[in-house]
Amino acid sequence: RILAANAFAAKVYTDLLTSPRGCSARDYLSGRGISEHEIAHFGLGYAPQNTPFLRIQAEEGHMPVADLVTAGLIHKETGADFFRNRILFPIHNMSGGILGFGGRALEEEQVPKYLNTGETAAFNKSRVLFGLRQAREAIASEGFVIVVEGYFDVLRLHLNGFRNTVAPLGTAMTDS
């Protein structure tokens, strides 16, 4: 149910990014040198400032709001959207299911700058790498992986031909 809720949200956020309401988010991505191909390849989306946007979309799209709460996309107590005014990066498992999201604030004064989905039964940020699904074939072909700091680093390197690149989700890397 979490994967279905995340897939629903990803579709909503992707559709919004490509709509007229997503203009500021598309301008931001363009300013960072991110191509439309990479936007589509990684399934980027946009969560608007207004809330409860996702709840309204769920009610109109026949998605149980309770599943979006369980997925960490809607606050249980307030009913507000978890992600607001952010570029969203879906984080996939190797089968293509969306485990959770990372969100980058669109305004500099917005804190935190980066925000991940909270821990759920499907999502544990210390056990997944952003871009691994997209990099899988290139890693096998090249015989190695490039690990970088963040989402935009992965996008830029993929854009420049280094498709064997992944990033941890804001977690420290250790020997263990």
Side-chain angles (χ1 to χ4, degrees), residues 1 4 7 21-23 37 40 50-51 57-58 61 63 66 83-84 90 100 107 115 118 120-121 164 166 170:
R1 292 167 60 133
R21 289 185 60 196
C23 183
H37 175 267
N50 61 311
T51 189
Q57 297 301 309
M63 166 58 63
F83 293 108
R84 293 184 303 279
E107 297 175 11
L115 180 66
T120 68
N164 55 329
V166 300

Side-chain angles (χ1 to χ4, degrees), residues 4 25 28 30 67 77 105 110-111 144 152 174:
Y28 178 85
S30 176
D67 290 354
E77 297 81 23
Q110 196 176 346
V111 291
F144 67 96
F152 281 105
T174 64

Side-chain angles (χ1 to χ4, degrees), residues 72-128:
L73 297 169
I74 294 177
H75 289 283
K76 183 177 183 175
E77 297 81 23
T78 65
D81 294 356
F82 183 72
F83 293 108
R84 293 184 303 279
N85 200 33
R86 292 179 182 275
I87 301 291
L88 292 182
F89 301 83
I91 300 157
H92 296 90
N93 63 20
M94 295 304 281
S95 302
I98 299 173
L99 303 172
F101 296 88
R104 197 320 181 166
L106 281 176
E107 297 175 11
E108 290 306 314
E109 64 276 358
Q110 196 176 346
V111 291
K113 184 190 297 190
Y114 286 95
L115 180 66
N116 290 323
T117 300
E119 300 280 317
T120 68
F123 182 71
N124 178 320
K125 74 178 186 176
S126 66
R127 298 191 178 274
V128 66

Side-chain angles (χ1 to χ4, degrees), residues 5-60:
N6 286 336
F8 173 83
K11 171 94 170 84
V12 167
Y13 294 141
T14 299
D15 288 350
L16 189 60
L17 179 63
T18 60
S19 78
R21 289 185 60 196
C23 183
S24 64
R26 287 193 312 277
D27 288 348
Y28 178 85
L29 290 166
S30 176
R32 296 284 303 255
I34 306 303
S35 73
E36 288 183 22
H37 175 267
E38 294 310 308
I39 290 169
H41 184 64
F42 284 91
L44 303 187
Y46 166 60
Q49 178 64 40
N50 61 311
T51 189
F53 177 79
L54 191 57
R55 174 185 290 275
I56 292 167
Q57 297 301 309
E59 290 168 352
E60 291 175 359

